[in-house]
Amino acid sequence: MSSGSDLVRFVESVLGVSIGESVTDSMIVIATTSLAVVLGLLFFLWKKSASERSRDVKPLVAPKAVSLKGEEDDDAVAAAGKTKVTIFYGTQTGTAEGFAKALAEEIKARYEKAAVKVVDLDDYADDDEQYEEKLKKETLAFFMVATYGDGEPTDNAARFYKWFTEGNEREPWVQQLMYGVFGLGNRQYEHFNKIAMVLDEKLSEQGAKRLIEVGLGDDDQCIEDDFTAWRELLWPELDRLLRDEDDENTASTPYTAAIPEYRVVIHEPAVMHIEDNYSNRANGNASYDIHHPCRVNVAVQRELHKPESDRSCIHLEFDISGTGITYETGDHVGVYADNCIETVEEAAMLLSQPLDLLFSVHTDNEEGTSLGSSLPPPFPGPCTVRTALARYADLLNPPRKAALIALAAHATEPSEAERLKFLSSPQGKDEYAQWVAGSQRSLIEVMAAFPSAKPPLGVFFAAVAPRLQHRYYSISSSPRFVPNRVHVTCALVYGPTPTGRIHRGVCSTWMKNAVPLEKSRDCSLAPIFIRQSNFKLPADPSIPVLMVGPGTGLAPFRGFLEERMVLKEEGAELGPSILFFGCRNRRMDFIYEDELNNFVEQGALSELIVAFSREGPQKEYVQHKMMDKASYIWSVISKGGYLYVCGDAKGMARDVHRTLHTIVQEQGSMDSSKTESFVKKLQMEGRYLRDVW
C-alpha cells in the first residue's frame, strides 16, 4: 500500500468523511495542514481556559502535616526556607487540644512557608533543663491553656507552668520569641483564665514579643466564638510574618476546615475484641495514670442520705489490694465511668447502627499515610458499637458548633442541614446560645431534633461526639486507716433541664447503680487512677487546723480525721481542730453523722460545727457559723494555723473567701489593702488551701 493512500485513509478517519479516490497530493497536504491548525487552536483555547480556572478563588486545603522530631527537623525546616510555628496546649477535657489542632490546620493552609507542629506541654520536655534548651529554639509559639479547679494549670501543663513562673529570670533568648496566648476558662469561677493571663504576663515581662492580646475564652457562654474572634485578629499579624508577595493563598481566600473522619474497619464477630487498655493485673513496674488507669472492683456501695431525703449521696469503696496503687490523704481519684445503657441505645438508634457491630477506627489510610493531625487519638479496638458509645462518647453535654457542622454535612433533609449550618454560624450565635447552650440540650437531644443527620461512625467519633472524660473526686479516706481501699463520697447529679429532659450525671449515676463485691461476685468495676494534690495536713500534727466543707466537701476532711485518729493512736500530740460542716436537714442529709461524732469522742476532732440551711426560719450556711467563731479563727490563722476549704467553687468557696476577708479585716484591724495582702500571704505560705470544683 502506498504512503499517499495511507495518509488519505488517516485523514478520512479523523474527519469522519470520504475524500474519494481521485485526490492529489497537494490536496492532502492542504487538508492535513488545516487539521493541524484546528487542533492546535483547540489545544491553545483549552490551556487558556484551564489557566483562568486555576486563578479562581478556591477554599484552602491544609497540606500534609510536617513531622518535626528533633534538631535535624529544625535544620531541615530552616534549609527549606520555612518558619517554624509551635502550638502548645494545656488541656483537661480536650478542648484546648482541639483548638490547638484547628489553629495548626488553618496556619498550614494559609501559609506555605509555615512548618507547624502541635505539642502537648507535658510531652515537650523530660525535665526542667530541657524546657529551656528547647524553648531557645522557638521563635514563633502559641499557647492554648485552660485554667482548672482553683486557678490551677491543667495536669499536662502543671510542670511547665511551675517551671516557667517560679524560675529565675530568663536569659536574652526569650526576647527572640514571638508569642500569643489563648485561655480557656469560665467567668463563674473566681480565678477566671488565671493561667493564660499569668503566662502572657510572664512572657511579656521576660522580653518576649506579644503578637496578639491574650484571648480569654469563656466556657460559660460560647468558647468557640471567643476562639474564632481571637483567631481572626491573629491573621493580619501572621500575614506580615509568613506571607510572600506571590503567595497564592491570599487573605481573602475562604478557609473551610475539613471535617475530621477516622478510617473505619468493620470486623467479623469472630475477631477478638480489645475492649479497653485498662489493666487490673499487679506487676512490679505498674504505673497507673490518666492514660493508663487500673480497673478495680467496687467493694462497698451504700446510700448516705436518710430515706426522708429526696436526693442521694453515695459512699463507694474501690478495692485496690494487689494493684500497686498508692495514694496519700488529700489526693484525688480519677474515675472512668460508662454511659448508662438507655443513653447508649438511644444514640445507636439515632445513628442507625447495630449495637453488636464490631469495628475499629484508624488515623491513617490503608497505605499507612496519616489522615491529618486534627484527628483525636483513636480508642482501642476492635470493639462493639455498644462499647464505643458507652465508654468513649460524651453524649449528654451540649454539642459544640464544630459538631453541628459535621452533622449538617451528613443531613439528607435540606432544611435540617440549613438549620444546623445556621446554628453553627456567626449569624446564629444568639440562637445557639439559647437553643443549645442555654437550654442544656444534650448531643443526643440535638440529633433527635435532626433525624436525617446520620453521620458515619468515623465522623461521629472524630468530629461529633467528644471523648467521654474521667471525673475527679476528692478521696474521702486515709491509706493509713484503710490501706487497701479508696473511698469516694459522691452526690447524685439528677434533675430537669430547661427542655424538660431529666439530666443524669454519667459518673454519679454509675455509682448510684454500682453493684459492690459484698453483694455479688459479679460486681461493678471501673478504671481509676490517682492524681496527687497539695491539699495535705501540716507535717507537724500539733499545728491547729480549721476545715470548711459542706455537703460532699466533707470528703477530704473525713480522710484528714481518719489520719489524725491513727496519729493519736500512735502517740502523736494533736493540735486543736474545728470542722465547719453544712447540710440541709439533720434528718435527711447529715452524712457520716455517727463517724463525725465518733471523731470528736476519740479526740481526732476538737469541735464539730454544723450549719443546717433548711431547719430554721432563715437559711444558715457555713460562712455564718464562721462569723460566730471569728475571734477564734483569727487567733488560729494569725499564729501559724491552717485553713482548708473544700466544695463548690462558684458559690460556697467564694462566700467563705469573702467571710475570711471580713474576719481578717475586723479582727486584725486592717484596711482592705492590708487584708488582701494578709490573705495572699496565707495562700503563698500554703496555710490557706482550697480543693474546689
Side-chain angles (χ1 to χ4, degrees):
M1 190 184 299
S2 70
S3 61
S5 61
D6 286 345
L7 187 57
V8 169
R9 289 197 179 106
F10 171 73
V11 173
E12 285 179 339
S13 66
V14 172
L15 297 178
V17 298
S18 176
I19 298 177
E21 295 288 336
S22 56
V23 61
T24 65
D25 287 347
S26 61
M27 290 175 65
I28 291 172
V29 171
I30 293 170
T32 53
T33 303
S34 301
L35 178 61
V37 170
V38 170
L39 291 174
L41 180 62
L42 290 172
F43 182 77
F44 172 77
L45 292 173
W46 176 79
K47 285 289 287 181
K48 185 173 186 295
S49 173
S51 176
E52 289 175 348
R53 284 197 307 272
S54 71
R55 287 197 295 267
D56 290 343
V57 174
K58 301 173 185 172
L60 294 174
V61 179
K64 293 294 182 186
V66 177
S67 175
L68 301 173
K69 295 179 182 176
E71 292 183 15
E72 298 95 349
D73 295 306
D74 292 342
D75 294 339
V77 166
K82 290 183 175 289
T83 300
K84 181 180 171 185
V85 181
T86 306
I87 304 174
F88 299 98
Y89 65 86
T91 191
Q92 200 72 20
T93 62
T95 305
E97 180 181 1
F99 284 173
K101 290 178 175 179
L103 180 63
E105 290 296 305
E106 188 160 0
I107 289 175
K108 283 186 285 188
R110 284 175 174 267
Y111 309 107
E112 292 182 1
K113 67 185 292 185
V116 189
K117 65 175 179 178
V118 177
V119 180
D120 181 327
L121 278 167
D122 202 35
D123 296 337
Y124 187 56
D126 294 329
D127 53 49
D128 289 359
E129 289 182 7
Q130 204 174 29
Y131 273 131
E132 184 156 329
E133 289 304 312
K134 287 199 163 191
L135 278 173
K136 283 179 180 179
K137 299 170 185 174
E138 306 291 350
T139 55
L140 182 53
F142 297 99
F143 298 84
M144 311 286 115
V145 288
T147 296
Y148 181 73
D150 192 26
E152 300 158 8
T154 57
D155 293 347
N156 75 311
R159 194 163 53 93
F160 170 82
Y161 183 79
K162 180 176 172 47
W163 168 77
F164 193 78
T165 57
E166 295 182 5
N168 298 323
E169 287 191 12
R170 308 294 160 199
E171 296 176 18
W173 60 264
V174 178
Q175 297 171 14
Q176 71 183 13
L177 180 69
M178 289 180 287
Y179 76 93
V181 178
F182 181 81
L184 297 86
N186 188 310
R187 286 191 187 276
Q188 293 294 319
Y189 290 83
E190 182 178 349
H191 301 287
F192 174 61
N193 267 316
K194 173 187 171 183
I195 303 305
M197 290 190 282
V198 170
L199 185 58
D200 174 70
E201 182 182 335
K202 290 284 185 182
L203 283 164
S204 181
E205 283 178 358
Q206 300 287 348
K209 182 182 178 184
R210 183 189 289 123
L211 200 62
I212 181 175
E213 286 298 314
V214 59
L216 302 178
D218 182 11
D219 201 34
D220 194 46
Q221 299 297 319
C222 180
I223 202 165
E224 285 173 296
D225 288 345
D226 297 331
F227 178 60
T228 298
W230 179 83
R231 199 169 49 181
E232 289 307 310
L233 295 174
L234 177 62
W235 304 132
E237 300 302 324
L238 289 185
D239 285 349
R240 184 172 51 80
L241 294 171
L242 299 175
R243 190 176 301 288
D244 293 327
E245 291 183 7
D246 57 348
D247 197 333
E248 290 183 5
N249 297 339
T250 62
S252 61
T253 306
Y255 170 79
T256 303
I259 295 171
E261 181 174 6
Y262 291 121
R263 175 171 62 91
V264 172
V265 176
I266 305 299
H267 299 272
E268 292 299 320
V271 174
M272 185 181 73
H273 301 204
I274 301 177
E275 290 291 345
D276 53 50
N277 64 340
Y278 312 134
S279 169
N280 60 351
R281 293 195 180 97
N283 65 73
N285 300 314
S287 178
Y288 304 112
D289 57 26
I290 188 171
H291 302 298
H292 307 93
C294 178
R295 184 181 287 280
V296 297
N297 290 332
V298 173
V300 175
Q301 186 261 25
R302 71 174 187 268
E303 176 62 56
L304 292 174
H305 281 192
K306 306 214 169 46
E308 294 83 0
S309 174
D310 59 351
R311 296 174 300 127
S312 173
C313 186
I314 300 299
H315 171 85
L316 197 97
E317 299 181 15
F318 290 113
D319 183 0
I320 59 171
S321 55
T323 64
I325 291 177
T326 60
Y327 72 98
E328 294 181 7
T329 309
D331 282 347
H332 303 140
V333 59
V335 181
Y336 286 92
D338 291 355
N339 286 306
C340 66
I341 188 60
E342 294 84 2
T343 300
V344 169
E345 289 175 347
E346 184 177 358
M349 180 192 68
L350 291 167
L351 289 167
S352 296
Q353 295 286 354
L355 285 167
D356 293 322
L357 179 71
L358 195 63
F359 75 107
S360 57
V361 295
H362 306 267
T363 57
D364 58 358
N365 58 30
E366 293 179 357
E367 289 75 38
T369 308
S370 172
L371 293 172
S373 61
S374 63
L375 277 170
F379 47 80
C383 68
T384 61
V385 167
R386 177 186 287 103
T387 295
L389 290 173
R391 197 162 287 169
Y392 306 121
D394 184 346
L395 303 171
L396 296 181
N397 274 318
R400 300 280 191 198
K401 289 187 174 183
L404 301 186
I405 293 171
L407 288 173
H410 293 278
T412 56
E413 177 60 48
S415 61
E416 292 185 9
E418 288 304 311
R419 171 77 172 152
L420 285 163
K421 288 177 186 174
F422 174 74
L423 286 169
S424 63
S425 70
Q427 295 76 23
K429 177 180 179 179
D430 292 341
E431 195 148 351
Y432 173 87
Q434 179 182 349
W435 192 79
V436 179
S439 298
Q440 299 170 31
R441 272 186 169 80
S442 67
L443 172 59
I444 55 176
E445 276 187 287
V446 170
M447 290 180 66
F450 299 94
S452 80
K454 297 187 185 299
L457 291 174
V459 171
F460 180 76
F461 286 105
V464 177
R467 193 63 54 88
L468 186 61
Q469 298 294 314
H470 54 275
R471 276 27 174 205
Y472 281 121
Y473 294 91
S474 301
I475 297 176
S476 57
S477 57
S478 166
R480 299 184 68 172
F481 193 76
V482 281
N484 293 320
R485 297 286 174 86
V486 169
H487 293 189
V488 170
T489 306
C490 171
L492 178 66
V493 177
Y494 179 95
T497 66
T499 64
R501 173 180 66 92
I502 297 297
H503 175 69
R504 295 173 174 84
V506 172
C507 203
S508 64
T509 299
W510 181 87
M511 290 186 178
K512 174 74 173 174
N513 298 326
V515 178
L517 185 60
E518 64 181 3
K519 292 184 179 177
S520 170
R521 291 185 64 83
D522 187 21
C523 65
S524 300
L525 303 95
I528 69 168
F529 63 95
I530 303 299
R531 182 176 71 169
Q532 292 181 336
S533 163
N534 64 352
F535 203 74
K536 307 294 181 191
L537 281 166
D540 179 356
S542 67
I543 294 176
V545 294
L546 304 169
M547 300 167 281
V548 183
T552 55
L554 171 60
F557 303 133
R558 181 174 180 266
F560 280 15
L561 294 172
E562 286 182 350
E563 180 137 329
R564 284 171 63 89
M565 187 93 94
V566 173
L567 289 168
K568 188 174 186 345
E569 290 173 356
E570 292 175 350
E573 181 184 340
L574 299 184
S577 60
I578 294 182
L579 170 63
F580 294 90
F581 175 67
C583 62
R584 292 186 180 183
N585 189 299
R586 76 181 75 234
R587 295 183 303 277
M588 293 185 183
D589 59 349
F590 192 170
I591 62 175
Y592 300 118
E593 179 180 4
D594 293 341
E595 286 188 22
L596 293 176
N597 288 328
N598 184 58
F599 286 136
V600 174
E601 291 172 9
Q602 298 297 321
L605 178 64
S606 306
E607 187 175 3
L608 172 64
I609 299 175
V610 185
F612 298 105
S613 63
R614 300 292 195 277
E615 286 194 359
Q618 291 184 323
K619 292 182 179 180
E620 190 171 43
Y621 297 110
V622 286
Q623 62 267 26
H624 301 128
K625 293 293 188 181
M626 287 175 66
M627 286 304 300
D628 293 342
K629 300 285 287 187
S631 61
Y632 180 77
I633 290 173
W634 171 246
S635 70
V636 169
I637 61 176
S638 63
K639 296 175 183 176
Y642 281 58
L643 171 63
Y644 301 88
V645 180
C646 181
D648 167 45
K650 297 179 186 177
M652 181 279 299
R654 186 174 288 182
D655 292 337
V656 166
H657 189 71
R658 292 194 189 107
T659 301
L660 175 62
H661 273 252
T662 301
I663 290 172
V664 170
Q665 188 164 358
E666 293 179 356
Q667 298 294 319
S669 302
M670 300 182 188
D671 60 24
S672 58
S673 177
K674 287 183 178 178
T675 297
E676 183 72 29
S677 298
F678 182 89
V679 172
K680 282 192 174 177
K681 186 169 181 286
L682 279 180
Q683 292 175 309
M684 294 295 291
E685 292 174 351
R687 294 196 296 116
Y688 173 27
L689 294 167
R690 310 202 313 171
D691 181 4
V692 299
W693 55 84

